[in-house]
Amino acid sequence: MKVIDAHCDALNRMMLRPDIDFHSSEHLDVTLERLVASGSAMQLFAVYLSATLHSPGFREVLQCIDYFYTKVLAHPQMRHIRYAGELAQAEAEGKIGAMLTLEGVDGLMGDELYLRTVFQLGVRCIGLTWNYANWAADGVKEPRQGGLTLKGRQFVKQCEELGIILDVSHLTERGFWELAELSPRPFIASHSNALDIAPDPRNLSRAQIEAIRDRDGRIGLTFIPWLVDTTRPAVMTDLLRHIDYVASLGGGHILGFGSDFDGLSRKTEGLEHAGCFPALAELLARHYDDDFVRGLLYENWRTFFERSLPVSVI
Ligand SMILES: [Zn+2]
């Protein structure tokens, strides 16, 4: 069973503990060995500069990307995925794809040159915010619940020109609808669940899920326990309710997973690290047919990225 996981924070762990490497199963949920063991076809790695790093700037963005190159891509089993066709190529060679994403644009400081630089370094998905406000937009925990700033709107256009995929996880609902109006292209929620199943503002309302479905974007259901179940400690089977709900809205084909491994202080039971995907695949196989399971774990993300990644001009 092949797997694509649309979100992890392993690079942030490396920022906080520069001594750890990509094998450190004691300190990391996502390690090379676990990706191999779980049949990973591609892992997305977020550049997320947590609040513990005081006012992170562009230098910190570059430092995080440097760890992606020196700690992750340095392994010959890993392949950097930047352009359409590269994932298929990596799979044909038996390699695991690795894609760079950016969670919160704070460190780009509204500078288009910085955006172009991270694109050239391989960033292919960008979420405007983490939970709070920055120069581009408001995150879901910002009390005023604003949308996109003027600069944020310009930034969205610049991302589109480059072929960068926008990610709405963490964005306010107002920001979501402003982005949807501004941008005709499919976007993703890399790590969010269904609000009607788990009422947390980080999750997506029915209307949001339908909007993503209508433009053939993607949703990565996440293992963040308080987004899986808001009333009690979450277990793996609770994810089925989110899957069934989105499928009931005609959105089964837009679903994948975005674990948020290495970003969590608590875990969903049974989904503690990247080596748990085979157990999830077993659970899914007991409830859904083979094609649907393959879609959830791999194929829905694969088709999306194959279609959405820019075509190399080199
Ligand atoms: Zn996140």
Side-chain angles (χ1 to χ4, degrees), residues 240-251:
L240 300 175
R241 291 187 291 140
H242 293 271
I243 296 168
D244 291 341
Y245 175 80
V246 178
S248 77
L249 302 177

Side-chain angles (χ1 to χ4, degrees), residues 7 103 130 170 191 202 260:
H7 190 85
E103 183 172 29
W130 190 61
H170 289 285
H191 56 305
R202 270 278 285 105
D260 207 23

Side-chain angles (χ1 to χ4, degrees), residues 200-221:
D200 183 290
R202 270 278 285 105
N203 284 339
L204 300 161
S205 69
R206 177 181 176 148
Q208 287 178 304
I209 292 167
E210 288 171 339
I212 295 174
R213 176 203 65 194
D214 289 347
R215 62 177 62 206
D216 205 16
R218 292 292 183 270
I219 297 169
L221 293 179

Side-chain angles (χ1 to χ4, degrees), residues 104-107 127-130 132-139 142 144 147 149:
V105 298
D106 311 53
L128 294 176
T129 67
W130 190 61
Y132 304 105
N134 61 24
W135 58 263
D138 281 9
E142 191 63 35
R144 71 180 168 192
T149 65

